[in-house]
Amino acid sequence: MGSHNEILHRLLDGDLSEDEKPALNRLLESDPLVSREYELLLGVVRIVEDAEKAAVPEGFKSSVMRRLQTKKRQPRKRPGDLFFGDGALRWDLVSTLAAAFFLIISVAAFIHMKSDSGPVEKMSASSDVVRTVRISLFAPYAKSVAIAGDFNRWSEDAAMMKNVNGSWTIEVPLKPGVYQYMFVVDGQGWVSDPGAEAYRDDGFGNRNAVMRVNEI
Amino acid sequence: MRQNISGIAAKVLFSLFAVAFFSGMTFAETAVRDLEDVRLSIEKSAMPVERKAPLFRKVSNAVSSGIPSPDAAVIVKRGIARGFEARTLEETVDIVIGAREKGLPVRPLLDRLQQGLSKGVPPEKLTAATRRLSEKLGAGDTLISGLSGRGIKVASEGERAAAVYTVARSLEHSIPEEAITSLGLKAVKQGAPLSSFDTALNSMTAFVEMGMPVEQASGLIGKAIDRGYSEKEMVVMEREVSAGLREGRRMEEIMKDMEKMINNGRPREWRGGMEGGSMQKQGSASGMDSGHSHRKGPGPRPK
């Protein structure tokens, strides 16, 4: 109905194209409600057109213009006016919350990056160096082997190992530090590296392998 | 509700995106992307409709409190994939937010959650284990603050966080707080930095994990500190115990040998020296068909 209404208004405003007119005529013939609405609107238009036009008082235009000039916007004096002055950006609740949220996470992220990144255990002092570590598992009957550890958020499929004659190998770029990991065999079996230099309890009764990546 | 969560998220994300775009901050872009991922995962999930918006709100709160968005996203998405209930996921996120608010390191908690979810740990067990770790981190924080008050040198916030986690791990293995404090005081007395205490306690905890009684582990590490062992030398001690067990030796035997070695010299003089030792062979991989592993590293790959 909303679209009929819009078409009727366009017709009365003289904005309807010639192509649209046949369709409207068909609609007016077929739908008595639309036809009635059209008649009512047409009546309103006629009343307005027939109404006596009142003359504008003398000096009205100059009076309006004078008032508009006194309300002229003042130039912004301070940078903060862009956000908080008259005619500044509009701050609704959602925008304000979002901006606050953004600021908080930015600051928190900065703090976080300084104190909370990297492996669970410690990193060495100059942690910008990245070393490539090759890790292998001999598993001739496995269909797939992945390595999951604290360096890849324990993803079961982010680091799939390559099989060469039953020896599954992967090279992982890591910063110096102490890392924990396990192998995921065939997508479900979690296997500790039998050749690891050390192990750590994972808090659930399993043993994670430990590898230390040195700077040199 | 679907419209509700979409509406809220769309407005927040759009505004965030706009702010992020204008500021050019990569981090905010990552957070926006991760939260959008989380929102989609929650929407697509089979969890009750009325639980979806609260869960999304909880994750947003976590990110705004400083929890890295990629970690939060991994936990929620993995939890949903594992069929965790929304309430359980909210509970786990709450534990992390609580730790963050107390100023505790959250990386170990995030790691435990991600690891547990990946390994298919049941929800109750995972929540309990994470809550327990959070409590122990609190105790660890207090203990490290005590040592700081007594003058132990703390090089960085990261070093402190690592030490807090090590204390928490020790407490989880029922190593008495007195034994840890005693080790810390020994380090303070010798003017050792916090990182040395961390390494010593790490090795001591590893000994206990491998089956060494707490008293013996404490005694061996205490002796090593008295002799001024370096952090690397402590690590070698740990490797030696691990290698001994792999060779099939009994713990009593290993302990005796180690005590003798500590009395006679430093780890450099032990078999193979510091860099050699444990990079040896492999047995059968547990849970696999007669497999075995070989690991080259962790040193640099020859080019």
Side-chain angles (χ1 to χ4, degrees), chain A residues 104 134 138 153-154 196 212, chain B residues 64 71 118 246 292 296 298:
Chain A
I104 291 166
R134 184 184 295 167
F138 186 66
R153 296 190 173 93
W154 296 95
R212 287 186 170 79
Chain B
S64 63
D71 291 301
S118 255
R246 201 160 40 217
H292 71 280
K296 295 170 189 169

Side-chain angles (χ1 to χ4, degrees), chain B residues 266-284:
Chain B
R266 302 177 75 87
R268 278 193 187 86
E269 292 142 30
W270 299 353
R271 56 168 170 170
M274 283 174 31
E275 304 301 331
S278 65
M279 284 302 133
Q280 43 191 300
K281 289 277 285 262
Q282 36 246 309
S284 292

Side-chain angles (χ1 to χ4, degrees), chain B residues 105-251:
Chain B
V106 294
R107 171 63 45 203
L109 295 169
L110 295 168
D111 182 80
R112 180 156 293 183
L113 284 170
Q114 290 165 354
Q115 194 176 162
L117 286 164
S118 255
K119 291 179 177 177
V121 175
E124 307 77 36
K125 193 176 172 185
L126 178 60
T127 312
T130 311
R131 195 180 296 285
R132 188 176 61 239
L133 178 58
S134 171
E135 287 163 8
K136 302 298 182 195
L137 285 168
D141 186 64
T142 308
L143 199 143
I144 296 298
S145 294
L147 291 178
S148 300
R150 286 170 184 265
I152 201 160
K153 283 167 265 177
V154 185
S156 67
E157 197 51 40
E159 187 182 285
R160 189 183 189 284
V164 168
Y165 171 57
T166 304
V167 174
R169 208 164 63 81
S170 307
L171 292 171
E172 274 197 307
H173 285 89
S174 306
I175 295 177
E177 207 168 318
E178 297 74 40
I180 301 169
T181 309
S182 158
L183 194 68
L185 292 176
K186 213 180 249 283
V188 170
K189 203 173 166 186
Q190 297 208 346
L194 184 65
S195 61
S196 294
F197 162 74
D198 181 20
T199 308
L201 184 59
N202 225 328
S203 296
M204 183 170 141
T205 309
F207 289 169
V208 174
E209 277 181 11
M210 286 186 267
M212 194 184 285
V214 174
E215 296 74 29
Q216 273 77 2
S218 177
L220 278 178
I221 292 293
K223 251 184 196 173
I225 291 182
D226 287 341
R227 282 185 161 269
Y229 274 31
S230 69
E231 291 176 33
K232 281 186 177 178
E233 286 169 329
M234 297 274 183
V235 172
V236 174
M237 284 175 70
E238 189 187 329
R239 282 183 188 171
E240 282 297 320
V241 175
S242 183
L245 287 174
R246 201 160 40 217
E247 286 163 8
R249 298 173 67 213
R250 289 170 54 239
M251 182 56 93

